[in-house]
Amino acid sequence: MEKYRIAGGNRLHGEVEISGAKNAAVAIIPAALMVDGICRIENLPQISDTVTLLHILESLGAGVKMINPSTVEIDSRHATWKGADYDRMRKIRASYYLVGAMLSRFGVARTTMPGGCNFGVRPIDQHVKGMNALGATVDVTDYIDAKAIHGRLRGAEIYLDKVSVGATMNIILAATLAEGRTIIENAAREPHIVDLANFLNSMGADVRGAGTDTVKINGVDRLHGGTYAIIPDQIEAGTYMAATAACGGEVLITNVIPKHLDCISAKLREMGVTVEEYPESVLVRSSGRLRRANVKTLPYPGFPTDMQPQMGVALAVADGTSVITEGVWDNRYKYVNQLRKMGAQFQVDGRVAVVEGVERLHGATVEACDLRAGAALVIAGLCADGVTTVEDIEYIERGYQDLVGKLQALGADIRIVDEPEHSERLNANAG
Ligand code: UD1
């Protein structure tokens, strides 16, 4: 079993380049299924979620050609909705985007129930409500089976009961090739929603208002091929910002859109970190000694829930008592039990965590319980005294391109080790 072994205590120095946004890529790859032509996607992050999705597209009959590690050409002209690799689908959360994309393109869709990170109940009722409004029946069992009643979806007005990134993007996908106009009210506004709309528009779609809470989609008959570059990953950038804050040092984070990082930059400044913005980069400088702060996660442009665990680690080593309020998910503090093994002091009550900052964390063996929790534990290991082993790293590799290589280049002492699973326990049992 591969694990990360981290010898903590090094400050981070140098430059790190951010990859394409995972949460945009996992919607744009399914969207490529709707394109009647060759679609070239650049700045594709090399992470296991995108690899899985490309395999799924191939299983549906699309041609997938890697031009270089971050550029792919997808030809979906001969794709069908049948024959999907359902085992692969089960592994990722974003498989639900295939419902919108397949319904749009084929008028019928079959996918598995989404997998991915488990941080509480992850309902899809708003997705289903959207598809129903567009004229599809949706049957949810172990699989999601959907069918356009009239063969092709029809535009509709949809008011989302909950601000949902996934439902907003899925409805945009479904409505793109529908007949007539769709209006989504109370839409989510995340940068990756704008990116999906820009991708679709560059291939001939008519999606307006993405990035606001009202998105209007005028259905078109077909999408044509084209080339599109995915935006940089806001959360990957934020993770390196939080790592630099917690470890101390000076890091130039390149290939970013500083505007997308505003709320993270503002919070880090409040904690005593210097963040300088340049057109496509941010420079983060930290003494490693941080001030307390309160963090409340909210849909964009609020503080991103996907940065809550990483920021939780920075607050764990900050001076004073901080309060974190999780405003999106019911159960996003699973990493806290792992952090406690490293000496962090958290009290969690429902969606609120009170963090008593400690001077230093100490190394321990911890498990990455989900993608961002895993990233947070890596940061904890980097700033802790002694050696930390992070297990279950496959979660982390779902969303971070070459995390180890990028951190090593910044001076971190982190490497991948390959050891039998839970060797200590096995040895103990053998005794
Ligand atoms: C996406 C991100 C995830 C991020 C989340 C919030 C991807 C692949 N994942 O997840 O990393 O944490 O946005 O920024 O992009 N909800 C419902 N009914 C629904 C859908 C959602 O009640 O049909 C609720 C959820 O339980 C949650 C909230 O709405 O409390 C937000 O969920 P949503 O924005 O949909 O998250 P995802 O798209 O699944």
Short mmCIF file of all heavy atoms in Angstrom, two decimals, residues 4 20 22 25-26 29 44-56 69 88-89 91-94 116-117 371 392-403:
data_model
loop_
_atom_site.label_atom_id
_atom_site.label_comp_id
_atom_site.label_asym_id
_atom_site.label_seq_id
_atom_site.Cartn_x
_atom_site.Cartn_y
_atom_site.Cartn_z
N TYR A 4 2.11 8.31 2.19
CA TYR A 4 3.05 9.43 2.20
C TYR A 4 3.81 9.39 3.52
O TYR A 4 3.19 9.22 4.59
CB TYR A 4 2.32 10.78 2.12
CG TYR A 4 1.62 11.05 0.81
CD1 TYR A 4 0.56 11.96 0.76
CD2 TYR A 4 2.01 10.45 -0.38
CE1 TYR A 4 -0.11 12.24 -0.42
CE2 TYR A 4 1.35 10.72 -1.57
CZ TYR A 4 0.29 11.61 -1.58
OH TYR A 4 -0.37 11.89 -2.76
N GLY A 20 -5.06 22.41 -13.80
CA GLY A 20 -6.44 22.75 -14.15
C GLY A 20 -7.40 22.32 -13.05
O GLY A 20 -7.11 21.42 -12.26
N LYS A 22 -10.05 20.64 -10.97
CA LYS A 22 -10.71 19.32 -10.93
C LYS A 22 -12.20 19.44 -11.13
O LYS A 22 -12.79 18.73 -11.95
CB LYS A 22 -10.42 18.65 -9.58
CG LYS A 22 -11.34 17.51 -9.26
CD LYS A 22 -11.12 17.01 -7.85
CE LYS A 22 -12.16 16.01 -7.43
NZ LYS A 22 -13.44 16.62 -7.05
N ALA A 25 -13.05 20.19 -14.64
CA ALA A 25 -12.71 19.08 -15.55
C ALA A 25 -13.73 17.95 -15.47
O ALA A 25 -14.10 17.37 -16.49
CB ALA A 25 -11.32 18.56 -15.23
N VAL A 26 -14.20 17.66 -14.25
CA VAL A 26 -15.10 16.50 -14.11
C VAL A 26 -16.49 16.77 -14.70
O VAL A 26 -17.29 15.84 -14.84
CB VAL A 26 -15.22 16.01 -12.64
CG1 VAL A 26 -13.89 15.51 -12.14
CG2 VAL A 26 -15.80 17.08 -11.74
N ILE A 29 -15.41 17.03 -19.09
CA ILE A 29 -15.19 15.75 -19.81
C ILE A 29 -16.55 15.13 -20.19
O ILE A 29 -16.76 14.79 -21.36
CB ILE A 29 -14.29 14.78 -19.00
CG1 ILE A 29 -12.89 15.40 -18.84
CG2 ILE A 29 -14.20 13.42 -19.68
CD1 ILE A 29 -11.98 14.62 -17.91
N LEU A 44 -5.83 20.18 -18.65
CA LEU A 44 -6.53 19.09 -17.98
C LEU A 44 -5.69 18.62 -16.79
O LEU A 44 -4.52 18.29 -16.98
CB LEU A 44 -6.72 17.95 -18.97
CG LEU A 44 -7.53 16.76 -18.50
CD1 LEU A 44 -9.02 17.09 -18.54
CD2 LEU A 44 -7.25 15.55 -19.39
N PRO A 45 -6.24 18.58 -15.57
CA PRO A 45 -5.42 18.10 -14.47
C PRO A 45 -5.17 16.59 -14.58
O PRO A 45 -6.08 15.84 -14.95
CB PRO A 45 -6.27 18.42 -13.23
CG PRO A 45 -7.67 18.53 -13.73
CD PRO A 45 -7.59 18.98 -15.15
N GLN A 46 -3.94 16.18 -14.29
CA GLN A 46 -3.60 14.74 -14.35
C GLN A 46 -3.86 14.13 -12.98
O GLN A 46 -2.97 14.04 -12.14
CB GLN A 46 -2.14 14.58 -14.73
CG GLN A 46 -1.82 15.10 -16.12
CD GLN A 46 -0.36 15.46 -16.25
OE1 GLN A 46 0.50 14.65 -16.00
NE2 GLN A 46 -0.08 16.71 -16.62
N ILE A 47 -5.11 13.78 -12.75
CA ILE A 47 -5.54 13.23 -11.46
C ILE A 47 -6.40 12.00 -11.76
O ILE A 47 -6.89 11.83 -12.88
CB ILE A 47 -6.35 14.28 -10.66
CG1 ILE A 47 -7.46 14.88 -11.52
CG2 ILE A 47 -5.44 15.37 -10.12
CD1 ILE A 47 -8.37 15.86 -10.80
N SER A 48 -6.61 11.18 -10.73
CA SER A 48 -7.28 9.92 -11.04
C SER A 48 -8.75 10.13 -11.45
O SER A 48 -9.27 9.36 -12.25
CB SER A 48 -7.17 8.94 -9.87
OG SER A 48 -7.79 9.46 -8.73
N ASP A 49 -9.41 11.18 -10.95
CA ASP A 49 -10.80 11.41 -11.36
C ASP A 49 -10.93 11.68 -12.86
O ASP A 49 -11.88 11.23 -13.50
CB ASP A 49 -11.41 12.60 -10.59
CG ASP A 49 -12.15 12.14 -9.32
OD1 ASP A 49 -11.94 10.99 -8.89
OD2 ASP A 49 -12.94 12.94 -8.78
N THR A 50 -9.99 12.44 -13.42
CA THR A 50 -10.09 12.73 -14.87
C THR A 50 -9.74 11.48 -15.68
O THR A 50 -10.37 11.20 -16.70
CB THR A 50 -9.19 13.92 -15.29
OG1 THR A 50 -7.85 13.64 -14.91
CG2 THR A 50 -9.64 15.22 -14.67
N VAL A 51 -8.76 10.72 -15.20
CA VAL A 51 -8.39 9.48 -15.90
C VAL A 51 -9.60 8.54 -15.93
O VAL A 51 -9.96 7.97 -16.97
CB VAL A 51 -7.18 8.80 -15.20
CG1 VAL A 51 -6.91 7.43 -15.79
CG2 VAL A 51 -5.94 9.69 -15.30
N THR A 52 -10.28 8.42 -14.78
CA THR A 52 -11.46 7.55 -14.68
C THR A 52 -12.53 8.02 -15.67
O THR A 52 -13.12 7.21 -16.40
CB THR A 52 -12.01 7.59 -13.24
OG1 THR A 52 -10.99 7.14 -12.36
CG2 THR A 52 -13.24 6.71 -13.08
N LEU A 53 -12.79 9.30 -15.70
CA LEU A 53 -13.84 9.81 -16.61
C LEU A 53 -13.48 9.58 -18.07
O LEU A 53 -14.36 9.25 -18.89
CB LEU A 53 -14.07 11.30 -16.35
CG LEU A 53 -15.10 11.59 -15.26
CD1 LEU A 53 -15.04 13.04 -14.82
CD2 LEU A 53 -16.52 11.25 -15.74
N LEU A 54 -12.22 9.75 -18.41
CA LEU A 54 -11.83 9.51 -19.81
C LEU A 54 -12.03 8.04 -20.18
O LEU A 54 -12.49 7.73 -21.27
CB LEU A 54 -10.37 9.95 -20.03
CG LEU A 54 -10.14 11.47 -19.99
CD1 LEU A 54 -8.65 11.80 -20.05
CD2 LEU A 54 -10.88 12.19 -21.13
N HIS A 55 -11.73 7.14 -19.23
CA HIS A 55 -11.98 5.71 -19.49
C HIS A 55 -13.48 5.46 -19.68
O HIS A 55 -13.88 4.67 -20.52
CB HIS A 55 -11.48 4.86 -18.31
CG HIS A 55 -9.99 4.63 -18.34
ND1 HIS A 55 -9.34 4.13 -19.43
CD2 HIS A 55 -9.03 4.83 -17.41
CE1 HIS A 55 -8.04 4.03 -19.18
NE2 HIS A 55 -7.83 4.46 -17.94
N ILE A 56 -14.29 6.14 -18.88
CA ILE A 56 -15.75 5.94 -19.01
C ILE A 56 -16.21 6.42 -20.39
O ILE A 56 -17.00 5.75 -21.06
CB ILE A 56 -16.51 6.69 -17.88
CG1 ILE A 56 -16.18 6.05 -16.52
CG2 ILE A 56 -18.01 6.69 -18.14
CD1 ILE A 56 -16.68 6.82 -15.32
N PRO A 69 0.44 15.34 -21.67
CA PRO A 69 -0.20 14.96 -20.40
C PRO A 69 -1.36 15.86 -19.96
O PRO A 69 -2.23 15.43 -19.21
CB PRO A 69 0.96 15.04 -19.40
CG PRO A 69 2.17 14.79 -20.23
CD PRO A 69 1.90 15.42 -21.56
N ARG A 88 -16.15 1.70 -12.88
CA ARG A 88 -15.39 2.95 -12.77
C ARG A 88 -16.32 4.09 -12.31
O ARG A 88 -15.94 4.92 -11.51
CB ARG A 88 -14.77 3.31 -14.12
CG ARG A 88 -13.50 2.54 -14.41
CD ARG A 88 -12.59 3.37 -15.31
NE ARG A 88 -11.24 2.86 -15.30
CZ ARG A 88 -10.76 1.94 -16.14
NH1 ARG A 88 -11.54 1.42 -17.05
NH2 ARG A 88 -9.50 1.55 -16.07
N MET A 89 -17.53 4.10 -12.86
CA MET A 89 -18.47 5.18 -12.51
C MET A 89 -18.71 5.26 -11.02
O MET A 89 -18.83 6.33 -10.45
CB MET A 89 -19.82 4.91 -13.17
CG MET A 89 -20.03 5.67 -14.43
SD MET A 89 -21.75 5.40 -14.92
CE MET A 89 -21.60 5.67 -16.65
N LYS A 91 -16.88 4.90 -8.66
CA LYS A 91 -15.78 5.43 -7.85
C LYS A 91 -15.82 6.95 -7.72
O LYS A 91 -15.15 7.53 -6.87
CB LYS A 91 -14.45 5.06 -8.50
CG LYS A 91 -14.14 3.59 -8.37
CD LYS A 91 -12.73 3.33 -8.86
CE LYS A 91 -12.50 1.83 -8.93
NZ LYS A 91 -11.54 1.46 -9.93
N ILE A 92 -16.54 7.60 -8.60
CA ILE A 92 -16.43 9.07 -8.59
C ILE A 92 -17.77 9.73 -8.34
O ILE A 92 -18.83 9.22 -8.71
CB ILE A 92 -15.83 9.60 -9.92
CG1 ILE A 92 -16.58 9.03 -11.12
CG2 ILE A 92 -14.35 9.33 -10.02
CD1 ILE A 92 -16.21 9.69 -12.39
N ARG A 93 -17.70 10.87 -7.70
CA ARG A 93 -18.88 11.66 -7.41
C ARG A 93 -19.46 12.23 -8.71
O ARG A 93 -20.67 12.26 -8.91
CB ARG A 93 -18.47 12.80 -6.48
CG ARG A 93 -19.57 13.76 -6.11
CD ARG A 93 -20.49 13.15 -5.09
NE ARG A 93 -21.69 13.94 -4.92
CZ ARG A 93 -22.82 13.45 -4.44
NH1 ARG A 93 -22.91 12.20 -4.09
NH2 ARG A 93 -23.88 14.22 -4.29
N ALA A 94 -18.57 12.68 -9.56
CA ALA A 94 -19.00 13.46 -10.72
C ALA A 94 -19.67 12.62 -11.79
O ALA A 94 -20.06 13.15 -12.84
CB ALA A 94 -17.81 14.20 -11.30
N GLY A 116 -17.41 8.77 -4.63
CA GLY A 116 -16.61 9.94 -4.23
C GLY A 116 -16.57 10.13 -2.73
O GLY A 116 -16.82 9.21 -1.97
N CYS A 117 -16.25 11.35 -2.31
CA CYS A 117 -16.02 11.62 -0.90
C CYS A 117 -17.31 11.52 -0.10
O CYS A 117 -18.37 11.92 -0.56
CB CYS A 117 -15.43 13.02 -0.72
SG CYS A 117 -13.77 13.13 -1.32
N LEU A 371 -10.75 13.43 0.15
CA LEU A 371 -9.76 14.17 -0.63
C LEU A 371 -9.16 15.36 0.12
O LEU A 371 -7.95 15.47 0.30
CB LEU A 371 -10.44 14.63 -1.93
CG LEU A 371 -9.76 15.67 -2.80
CD1 LEU A 371 -8.39 15.21 -3.26
CD2 LEU A 371 -10.64 15.97 -4.02
N ASP A 392 -4.07 5.75 2.98
CA ASP A 392 -5.24 5.91 2.11
C ASP A 392 -5.09 7.09 1.15
O ASP A 392 -6.04 7.87 0.94
CB ASP A 392 -6.54 6.06 2.94
CG ASP A 392 -6.84 4.82 3.76
OD1 ASP A 392 -6.33 3.74 3.40
OD2 ASP A 392 -7.57 4.92 4.75
N ILE A 393 -3.91 7.20 0.58
CA ILE A 393 -3.62 8.39 -0.24
C ILE A 393 -4.35 8.39 -1.57
O ILE A 393 -4.33 9.39 -2.28
CB ILE A 393 -2.10 8.56 -0.48
CG1 ILE A 393 -1.53 7.31 -1.17
CG2 ILE A 393 -1.39 8.86 0.83
CD1 ILE A 393 -0.10 7.50 -1.64
N GLU A 394 -5.01 7.27 -1.91
CA GLU A 394 -5.74 7.28 -3.19
C GLU A 394 -6.81 8.36 -3.20
O GLU A 394 -7.15 8.91 -4.25
CB GLU A 394 -6.32 5.89 -3.53
CG GLU A 394 -7.34 5.33 -2.58
CD GLU A 394 -6.74 4.69 -1.33
OE1 GLU A 394 -5.51 4.70 -1.16
OE2 GLU A 394 -7.53 4.21 -0.49
N TYR A 395 -7.33 8.71 -2.03
CA TYR A 395 -8.29 9.82 -1.97
C TYR A 395 -7.64 11.12 -2.44
O TYR A 395 -8.24 11.91 -3.16
CB TYR A 395 -8.77 10.04 -0.53
CG TYR A 395 -9.82 9.07 -0.06
CD1 TYR A 395 -9.55 8.15 0.94
CD2 TYR A 395 -11.09 9.09 -0.62
CE1 TYR A 395 -10.52 7.26 1.38
CE2 TYR A 395 -12.07 8.21 -0.19
CZ TYR A 395 -11.77 7.30 0.81
OH TYR A 395 -12.73 6.42 1.23
N ILE A 396 -6.41 11.32 -1.98
CA ILE A 396 -5.72 12.59 -2.29
C ILE A 396 -5.41 12.65 -3.78
O ILE A 396 -5.53 13.70 -4.41
CB ILE A 396 -4.43 12.70 -1.44
CG1 ILE A 396 -4.76 12.55 0.05
CG2 ILE A 396 -3.73 14.03 -1.72
CD1 ILE A 396 -3.56 12.55 0.97
N GLU A 397 -5.05 11.48 -4.32
CA GLU A 397 -4.64 11.46 -5.73
C GLU A 397 -5.82 11.62 -6.68
O GLU A 397 -5.64 11.85 -7.87
CB GLU A 397 -3.80 10.21 -6.00
CG GLU A 397 -2.56 10.31 -5.12
CD GLU A 397 -1.51 9.25 -5.32
OE1 GLU A 397 -1.84 8.19 -5.87
OE2 GLU A 397 -0.36 9.50 -4.90
N ARG A 398 -7.03 11.55 -6.14
CA ARG A 398 -8.21 11.86 -6.95
C ARG A 398 -8.19 13.32 -7.40
O ARG A 398 -8.80 13.66 -8.42
CB ARG A 398 -9.49 11.65 -6.13
CG ARG A 398 -9.91 10.22 -5.97
CD ARG A 398 -11.28 10.17 -5.30
NE ARG A 398 -12.12 11.20 -5.86
CZ ARG A 398 -12.93 11.99 -5.16
NH1 ARG A 398 -13.04 11.85 -3.87
NH2 ARG A 398 -13.65 12.92 -5.74
N GLY A 399 -7.56 14.18 -6.59
CA GLY A 399 -7.73 15.61 -6.87
C GLY A 399 -6.48 16.46 -6.88
O GLY A 399 -6.58 17.66 -7.17
N TYR A 400 -5.31 15.90 -6.57
CA TYR A 400 -4.09 16.72 -6.57
C TYR A 400 -3.08 16.13 -7.54
O TYR A 400 -2.64 15.00 -7.36
CB TYR A 400 -3.46 16.79 -5.17
CG TYR A 400 -4.26 17.66 -4.24
CD1 TYR A 400 -5.29 17.12 -3.46
CD2 TYR A 400 -4.03 19.03 -4.16
CE1 TYR A 400 -6.05 17.92 -2.63
CE2 TYR A 400 -4.79 19.84 -3.32
CZ TYR A 400 -5.79 19.27 -2.56
OH TYR A 400 -6.55 20.08 -1.74
N GLN A 401 -2.73 16.91 -8.55
CA GLN A 401 -1.74 16.44 -9.51
C GLN A 401 -0.35 16.54 -8.89
O GLN A 401 0.06 17.63 -8.46
CB GLN A 401 -1.83 17.30 -10.78
CG GLN A 401 -0.80 16.91 -11.83
CD GLN A 401 -0.95 17.73 -13.10
OE1 GLN A 401 -2.05 18.11 -13.48
NE2 GLN A 401 0.17 17.99 -13.76
N ASP A 402 0.35 15.44 -8.82
CA ASP A 402 1.74 15.39 -8.37
C ASP A 402 1.98 16.19 -7.08
O ASP A 402 2.91 16.99 -6.99
CB ASP A 402 2.65 15.95 -9.50
CG ASP A 402 4.12 15.68 -9.22
OD1 ASP A 402 4.42 14.77 -8.43
OD2 ASP A 402 4.96 16.41 -9.78
N LEU A 403 1.16 15.93 -6.09
CA LEU A 403 1.28 16.66 -4.83
C LEU A 403 2.68 16.50 -4.23
O LEU A 403 3.30 17.47 -3.78
CB LEU A 403 0.22 16.15 -3.83
CG LEU A 403 0.21 16.81 -2.46
CD1 LEU A 403 -0.20 18.27 -2.56
CD2 LEU A 403 -0.73 16.08 -1.50
#
